Amino acid sequence: MYLRNLMSMDTEEMIKAQPIDACVMIGGCDKTVPAQLMGGISANKIVLPLVVGPMMPGSFKGTRIGACTNCRNHWASYRGGEVDIEDIAGINDELAPTAGTCGVMGTASTMACITAALGLMPVEGASAPAVSSARLRVAEQTGSAAVTAVGDPSRKPQSLLTRDSLINALTVLQAIGGSTNAVVHMMAIINRHPELTGTITLQTIDEIGRNTPLLVDLKPSGDNYMTDFHNAGGMAALLHTLRPLLKLNARTITGETLGGWLDAQPFTTFPYSSKLIRPLSDPLYENSALVVLTGNLAPNGAIMKASAAKDRRLLEFSGPAVVFTDTADLSRRIDSEELDVTPDSVLVLQNVGPIGNPGMPEAGVIPIPRKLKGVKDMLRLSDGRMSGTAGGTIILHISPECGILESPFGVVRDGDVVECSVKERRLHIRLSDEKLQDRIAARKEALSAKSKLVSRGRILGEKRRGYRALYENTVNQAEQGADFDFLTANGSVNM
């Protein structure tokens, strides 16, 4: 988020500064597309995202592989002694065989699908491979749509996007088993819109999930790649399948409604398509691919991609915490033979939230300790993020983060019993309210004794200057989008 917010400011100011009627925004990996959407909404000129598209999969010993779900799975196997150095080197050579973004349903592809669902770009653009001729057609369609939109103020993003548009995008997010990062990005996008800020919360996303099945069989929740999704009909096929769940009056950048576009672009499914993009009656996962958890450990919410859990018993689980205070502590101790950990431990990583690292890095995929040979998954918690290509039973975006003085997550200790229940949407530490508050008070005293800089309830550690000072003093929490408070539609109350 550290540089996403900077990119969004750059996008907004560049669009505002130029005497243009419409802007085509070329983006691709992870944070570029949300940064452009955030800046484009704030600038409020006609904007059309043009994403670069996913890479093709590679092959190793006859098995298809690709960035970056296979990166993580094979690296975990290498750490566990199941893959030797020669094979891991050969795998590495094939993980990114062409240009393009990660070839699975990671953050880049998730944001591309969401952008298409918002009605801001041609639907084929969400999945067409970067090296395909379809990319040229998508570029031409985007340019044509930009020219056609000029002069129509209703196609500016603050007019075009409505709550129905957002509901459609979040329905698609659940149906594709999209990246958890999309949640924090979508909250930032929503809170840039003057009319929509505050109308969608984490609970809205969870409610949509309860009514939306996972339909798309792609890694990390499934088995396939973005090229397969594209060949199965891509977003056109998915939107037709999801039609009963969508808000058909939402408008698109072409001036049509979503319902009108679906009527004008019929899609007839075929066996390969229905295998990759399941019908509503035969989903890959019944509902709630992404879930929102709350409790005394995460009063303001936390996110889990339940559909990507490798050991489903961990979705209803309790165990003793093994706490790492930051990424340096994790690096030092995770592979130590002296680490007091068992397969039933809960791995906890603190201080990787929006303020804490800073920037909320993708550190949430805590490695399985090397001493636990053969263990494929453990319950893992952090206030940070993880790559959208990753899988496992991993709880992220815990809020308030450790960088907030009142954070319950900031006072978790080794041995504390952590309870997770996806059914109850609950994340809890087995401590009384009184004990929890005592720990928070003790933490405040300890920070004061160490002369740590605390400003407006934020633990900043020391005086900063420049962009880092701006970032740490104004970034908001994950459930708000980890955006700068002064860039939101409501503006800052602290500047």
Side-chain angles (χ1 to χ4, degrees):
M1 303 301 101
Y2 192 75
L3 296 179
R4 183 205 64 178
N5 294 351
L6 184 62
M7 282 190 281
S8 78
M9 286 198 294
D10 189 19
T11 300
E12 177 180 351
E13 297 307 323
M14 289 294 289
I15 291 174
K16 283 180 175 178
Q18 302 303 317
I20 55 176
D21 297 306
C23 179
V24 174
M25 306 184 298
I26 301 174
C29 281
D30 295 22
K31 288 164 282 293
T32 56
V33 173
Q36 290 170 342
L37 290 174
M38 292 158 65
I41 290 169
S42 294
N44 201 33
K45 291 185 179 180
I46 293 168
V47 291
L48 295 89
L50 177 60
V51 301
V52 300
M55 67 180 69
M56 304 288 284
S59 177
F60 180 73
K61 293 185 176 180
T63 300
R64 290 195 308 165
I65 58 175
C68 204
T69 303
N70 293 118
C71 314
R72 303 174 196 286
N73 292 344
H74 286 296
W75 183 250
S77 296
Y78 173 68
R79 282 173 48 83
E82 300 169 20
V83 174
D84 62 28
I85 188 66
E86 289 79 14
D87 276 359
I88 202 69
I91 289 165
N92 188 60
D93 289 343
E94 286 293 315
L95 287 171
T98 73
T101 60
C102 287
V104 297
M105 193 54 77
T107 306
S109 292
T110 298
M111 291 309 303
C113 292
I114 283 176
T115 303
L118 286 170
L120 292 174
M121 73 178 198
V123 296
E124 189 180 19
S127 60
V131 294
S132 68
S133 59
R135 272 289 140 207
L136 300 177
R137 294 192 294 273
V138 170
E140 290 172 354
Q141 292 168 16
T142 303
S144 176
V147 172
T148 304
V150 167
D152 183 353
S154 71
R155 300 196 209 181
K156 293 180 179 180
Q158 291 183 20
S159 299
L160 181 69
L161 296 177
T162 63
R163 192 172 189 275
D164 283 352
S165 309
L166 301 176
I167 295 297
N168 288 342
L170 295 171
T171 300
V172 165
L173 171 63
Q174 294 281 6
I176 62 178
S179 168
T180 51
N181 289 320
V183 176
V184 71
H185 292 322
M186 281 299 293
M187 295 312 301
I189 289 164
I190 291 163
N191 289 326
R192 289 294 187 99
H193 196 298
E195 302 299 323
L196 300 179
T197 182
T199 65
I200 300 283
T201 67
L202 293 187
Q203 293 309 313
T204 313
I205 296 172
D206 192 71
E207 289 165 8
I208 291 170
R210 290 175 187 269
N211 297 307
T212 306
L214 172 60
L215 301 180
V216 178
D217 187 0
L218 261 63
K219 295 177 185 292
S221 295
D223 293 327
N224 299 289
Y225 296 87
M226 281 299 293
T227 50
D228 304 315
F229 178 55
H230 183 70
N231 293 336
M235 279 296 294
L238 179 62
L239 291 172
H240 275 282
T241 303
L242 285 173
R243 183 169 186 150
L245 303 180
L246 298 175
K247 306 293 185 181
L248 301 179
N249 287 327
R251 294 174 57 246
T252 72
I253 194 65
T254 63
E256 302 169 282
T257 63
L258 175 60
W261 184 88
L262 290 171
D263 290 340
Q265 304 289 333
F267 180 82
T268 302
T269 191
F270 49 94
Y272 180 78
S273 178
S274 58
K275 180 181 177 182
L276 268 290
I277 304 168
R278 302 283 191 88
L280 290 172
S281 59
D282 183 28
L284 190 68
Y285 196 79
E286 185 176 357
N287 56 40
S288 299
L290 280 75
V291 300
V292 176
L293 307 175
T294 57
N296 69 353
L297 199 51
N300 297 339
I303 303 296
M304 176 199 281
K305 187 190 287 191
S307 61
K310 297 177 182 178
D311 183 350
R312 305 203 67 76
R313 72 182 177 89
L314 297 174
L315 299 177
E316 305 293 324
F317 188 77
S318 63
V322 175
V323 179
F324 302 94
T325 56
D326 54 29
T327 52
D329 183 34
L330 175 69
S331 180
R332 280 193 304 268
R333 296 195 295 125
I334 189 66
D335 287 333
S336 170
E337 289 296 323
E338 304 303 316
L339 185 67
D340 186 10
V341 64
T342 75
D344 290 326
S345 299
V346 177
L347 303 181
V348 173
L349 176 59
Q350 298 172 322
N351 292 298
V352 288
I355 299 169
N357 198 262
M360 206 179 180
E362 292 181 344
V365 188
I366 305 169
I368 303 298
R370 197 183 291 270
K371 68 186 290 185
L372 299 180
K373 301 290 186 183
V375 175
K376 302 297 184 184
D377 198 6
M378 296 175 71
L379 183 60
R380 288 163 274 180
L381 280 64
S382 82
D383 48 4
R385 300 180 299 119
M386 75 174 182
S387 167
T389 65
T393 312
I394 302 172
I395 298 172
L396 305 151
H397 309 186
I398 292 176
S399 181
E401 63 163 307
C402 295
I404 298 295
L405 203 56
E406 300 286 342
S407 169
F409 188 59
V411 298
V412 178
R413 298 175 183 171
D414 285 336
D416 288 342
V417 177
V418 174
E419 301 172 347
C420 167
S421 173
V422 168
K423 287 180 182 177
E424 297 178 7
R425 299 297 198 267
R426 184 169 177 265
L427 181 61
H428 190 77
I429 183 172
R430 203 175 289 171
L431 290 175
S432 67
D433 291 345
E434 182 181 9
K435 183 68 172 177
L436 200 53
Q437 290 306 313
D438 285 347
R439 285 195 186 179
I440 291 171
R443 184 184 186 217
K444 291 179 182 178
E445 290 182 14
L447 289 168
S448 177
K450 293 178 181 178
S451 299
K452 291 289 186 180
L453 178 62
V454 177
S455 174
R456 294 185 290 112
R458 298 163 181 249
I459 303 168
L460 305 182
E462 58 188 75
K463 289 185 178 180
R464 306 287 187 192
R465 62 166 300 280
Y467 180 69
R468 182 161 179 175
L470 174 70
Y471 176 90
E472 290 184 350
N473 278 286
T474 62
V475 69
N476 57 31
Q477 289 293 281
E479 75 277 7
Q480 300 165 306
D483 195 6
F484 292 147
D485 58 9
F486 64 88
L487 292 180
T488 64
N490 290 332
S492 174
V493 296
N494 299 306
M495 293 183 71

